[in-house]
Amino acid sequence: MKNRLLFLGPPGAGKGTQAERLASTQGLLHLSTGDLLRAEVAVGSALGQEAEAVMARGELVSDALVLAIVRQRLEGQSAGDGWLLDGFPRNLAQAEALASLLAELGQPIELVVLLELDDAVLIQRLLSRGRADDNEAVIRHRLEVYREQTAPLIRYYRERDLLQPVEAEGSVEQIGERITALLG
Ligand code: B4P
C-alpha cells in the first residue's frame, strides 16, 4: 500500500477535504501548508504576520518560510510512518527542495494525486466556503497563480511516473473511493 502521497490541484478542488479523510482512514500524517499557515496567523506569530497579507491577496507565501515548516514536520517522521502532503509543493522551486529533503530522509514520494475540476465549480465551492481569502476577485487571482506556478508540477510529476489524475466532481465519498483505488 502506497503511504507517501502528495495531493495536487487547483484551489477548491477538495485537496484538504480528501486529504483529511484519507489520512485518518490510512493513519497517515496530514501536512497541509495552508492549515499550518492559518494556524500561525491565528496565534499572531512573526511567521503568521508575514504570511497573513500574502494569503489575503491569494499569492504564495515565500518558499523559504513554507519549506522551513515542512522540513520541521517531516524530519520527525520514521521511514515507515507515511504522510500526505496537501497544498505543497506549489511551484517548481518547492518541488525541487522537497525532492532533496526526501532524498536526505530516504522517504521518496510514491504517488501524486491530481484532483481535476472545472473553474466554474471551483469558484462556486470556494464562494460557499467563505474563508477570509474566498471572495471572487481573490479566488480568480489564486486560480491564475495556480496556472502559472503550480500547474507546471503536473508535467514534472508525470515525467517522474508518479502522477494519477482523479475526477474531483461528485460526492466526497465517491471521490474518496477513486483515490483509495490508486493506493494499491
Ligand atoms: P490552501 O489552504 O491549500 O487551500 P485551497 O487550495 O484553497 O483549498 P483545497 O483544495 O484544500 O479545498 P478544500 O478541500 O478546502 O491554500 C490557501 C492559501 O495558503 C494559498 O492561496 C497560499 O497563499 C497559502 N499557501 C498554502 N500552501 C502554500 C505553499 N506551499 N506555498 C506558498 N503558499 C501557500 O475544499 C474547498 C471547499 O469545497 C470546501 O468548502 C469543501 O467543503 C468543499 N468541497 C470539498 N469537496 C467537495 C465535494 N466533493 N462536493 C462539494 N463540495 C466540496
Side-chain angles (χ1 to χ4, degrees):
M1 186 79 105
K2 292 176 178 141
N3 74 352
R4 290 190 297 274
L5 318 173
L6 201 152
F7 277 12
L8 198 64
K15 301 181 294 293
T17 305
Q18 293 298 333
E20 200 177 317
R21 201 172 177 270
L22 191 67
S24 115
T25 56
Q26 305 294 320
L28 307 174
L29 170 75
H30 174 200
L31 251 181
S32 158
T33 44
D35 286 350
L36 293 168
L37 290 167
R38 281 185 288 278
E40 296 290 338
V41 171
V43 297
S45 68
L47 195 156
Q49 285 174 22
E50 192 183 328
E52 188 168 17
V54 180
M55 293 173 79
R57 290 197 300 271
E59 284 164 12
L60 296 184
V61 172
S62 82
D63 293 343
L65 207 150
V66 176
L67 275 164
I69 295 183
V70 172
R71 171 177 276 277
Q72 191 192 32
R73 300 294 197 290
L74 283 183
E75 274 175 348
Q77 290 291 105
S78 311
D81 289 349
W83 37 254
L84 200 173
L85 299 182
D86 149 25
F88 173 86
R90 279 284 224 276
N91 59 30
L92 282 168
Q94 291 184 8
E96 295 286 7
L98 176 65
S100 318
L101 170 62
L102 296 179
E104 197 185 298
L105 300 176
Q107 299 185 29
I109 298 169
E110 295 177 302
L111 174 70
V112 176
V113 175
L114 170 66
L115 294 174
E116 295 183 308
L117 194 61
D118 287 346
D119 280 8
V121 186
L122 296 172
I123 293 170
Q124 265 324 304
R125 279 191 190 174
L126 292 174
L127 285 175
S128 44
R129 178 171 64 180
R131 207 169 64 194
D133 57 345
D134 284 340
N135 67 71
E136 189 150 359
V138 172
I139 292 169
R140 289 198 183 278
H141 186 54
R142 279 158 59 202
L143 284 169
E144 276 168 32
V145 171
Y146 173 76
R147 271 187 211 104
E148 283 165 18
Q149 302 197 44
T150 312
L153 298 182
I154 296 171
R155 183 168 167 204
Y156 178 91
Y157 287 117
R158 191 185 289 127
E159 285 173 354
R160 284 155 182 78
D161 237 354
L162 290 168
L163 193 84
Q164 287 284 355
V166 166
E167 168 64 63
E169 180 122 42
S171 71
V172 170
E173 291 71 25
Q174 285 168 332
I175 300 161
E177 281 166 20
R178 288 174 205 150
I179 297 172
T180 306
L182 299 172
L183 301 182

